[in-house]
Amino acid sequence: MIFLDKEKNKRDRLEEKTKVKIEKLIEKVDENPYDPQRYYALGCYLTELQSFEQAEELFKRALNVFEGQEDKQSLLHYGLGNVFYATGLFKEASVEFKMLNGSKYESDAMLMMAQTELSNGNYQRALAYALTAFEKGNNQTRLDSCIVLGDSFLALGCFDQACEYYDLYLKDRPNDKHAVFMRGVVETGLGKAPDAYFGRAKQLDKEYYSKMIERLDDISKVINKGKQGGKDDRTR
């Protein structure tokens, strides 16, 4: 009973903290309803809380506030695209991200487009967008592009290229469990022992490691399909 009371108190404190933060973000919007950054901050927090309908409604309302002001709308289109991406509405997300061509958010949008295409299994398209983000983005965007490039090249069976980008990513984030595990998959593809990477991934997160080991056959099927797809593209 004491344990349940503690858990309830913990949940209540978290809910209160969340409520207070939302109220403060709303107050900031009310203080200056002509600052797109304030809508964006509130929308991002709602998305983080998985309040997707509220976040979508907020961004759409904010886009109407800044109608005709492309420079201000671009940030809001990016935020709305992220909401759609988080809910798995990849087609709708792509529409929003494509609106950002030529804006200062273009490279970030390209990265999100890459992630969208990767989620849809369109690995060649994912590569094209991720390479653009890598070439045009700032240091953070370039780094985040590396994991998408690694995943895309791996899915296409291009192990050397996948190795290059995973290593770039791991140089900065050596404890990223996904990158570590997938680097082990690359070793397998290169005909080498993956033990060091798989062992490291297991150390970082046993549950994640077990889940990914169970999915190895599926990952291999994706890679084999990607190899064939890559060959088909080159023969067109």
Side-chain angles (χ1 to χ4, degrees):
M1 194 68 177
I2 294 175
F3 174 76
L4 292 176
D5 288 341
K6 285 183 177 179
E7 285 298 304
K8 183 179 183 302
N9 290 336
K10 185 178 178 181
R11 285 197 305 272
D12 289 344
R13 286 195 301 270
L14 182 60
E15 287 176 6
E16 182 61 28
K17 185 178 179 181
T18 299
K19 181 181 176 183
V20 169
K21 184 168 182 178
I22 289 176
E23 287 175 351
K24 286 183 177 179
L25 289 169
I26 291 173
E27 284 175 9
K28 285 186 175 293
V29 172
D30 290 339
E31 286 170 6
N32 186 357
Y34 300 104
D35 181 357
Q37 290 283 352
R38 301 190 182 204
Y39 291 95
Y40 181 75
L42 176 57
C44 286
Y45 190 60
L46 289 171
T47 304
E48 185 182 329
L49 295 174
Q50 297 187 354
S51 299
F52 300 124
E53 288 186 14
Q54 288 179 281
E56 180 183 344
E57 182 182 348
L58 173 74
F59 280 122
K60 286 181 175 178
R61 180 160 59 87
L63 283 166
N64 288 329
V65 172
F66 300 102
E67 187 174 1
Q69 302 177 62
E70 290 185 13
D71 57 329
K72 293 182 177 180
Q73 281 193 327
S74 58
L75 177 62
L76 302 170
H77 279 300
Y78 181 68
L80 182 56
N82 283 327
V83 175
F84 287 139
Y85 179 84
T87 55
L89 298 172
F90 299 129
K91 184 177 179 180
E92 289 83 350
S94 295
V95 171
E96 297 300 318
F97 294 136
K98 285 177 180 177
M99 289 183 179
L100 299 171
N101 289 342
S103 76
K104 64 180 179 180
Y105 304 105
E106 181 178 7
S107 59
D108 292 322
M110 289 296 102
L111 176 56
M112 290 305 300
M113 284 294 295
Q115 292 176 338
T116 299
E117 296 295 351
L118 182 63
S119 298
N120 282 331
N122 300 323
Y123 307 119
Q124 293 284 2
R125 289 182 184 176
L127 277 178
Y129 285 122
L131 285 169
T132 300
F134 183 83
E135 291 166 2
K136 294 185 176 182
N138 58 27
N139 289 339
Q140 185 62 52
T141 302
R142 285 171 60 86
L143 180 62
D144 291 336
S145 298
C146 286
I147 194 70
V148 182
L149 287 165
D151 287 351
S152 300
F153 274 123
L154 177 58
L156 290 168
C158 302
F159 301 113
D160 288 329
Q161 293 94 327
C163 178
E164 177 186 350
Y165 286 104
Y166 282 136
D167 284 349
L168 274 175
Y169 188 81
L170 287 168
K171 186 176 180 180
D172 189 84
R173 299 180 186 174
N175 294 326
D176 185 287
K177 60 189 178 185
H178 174 78
V180 171
F181 185 89
M182 300 311 283
R183 186 62 180 80
V185 177
V186 170
E187 290 293 277
T188 302
L190 292 171
K192 301 177 181 179
D195 300 8
Y197 292 101
F198 283 172
R200 176 67 178 147
K202 188 175 183 179
Q203 278 185 330
L204 291 168
D205 191 326
K206 286 184 180 179
E207 186 176 342
Y208 175 82
Y209 169 79
S210 298
K211 181 179 73 175
M212 294 302 288
I213 283 292
E214 289 177 2
R215 288 185 53 207
L216 264 183
D217 285 343
D218 292 335
I219 293 171
S220 297
K221 288 176 184 176
V222 169
I223 293 171
N224 289 331
K225 185 177 179 181
K227 282 181 180 178
Q228 187 58 51
K231 289 177 183 176
D232 292 342
D233 286 340
R234 287 190 290 271
T235 57
R236 285 173 189 164

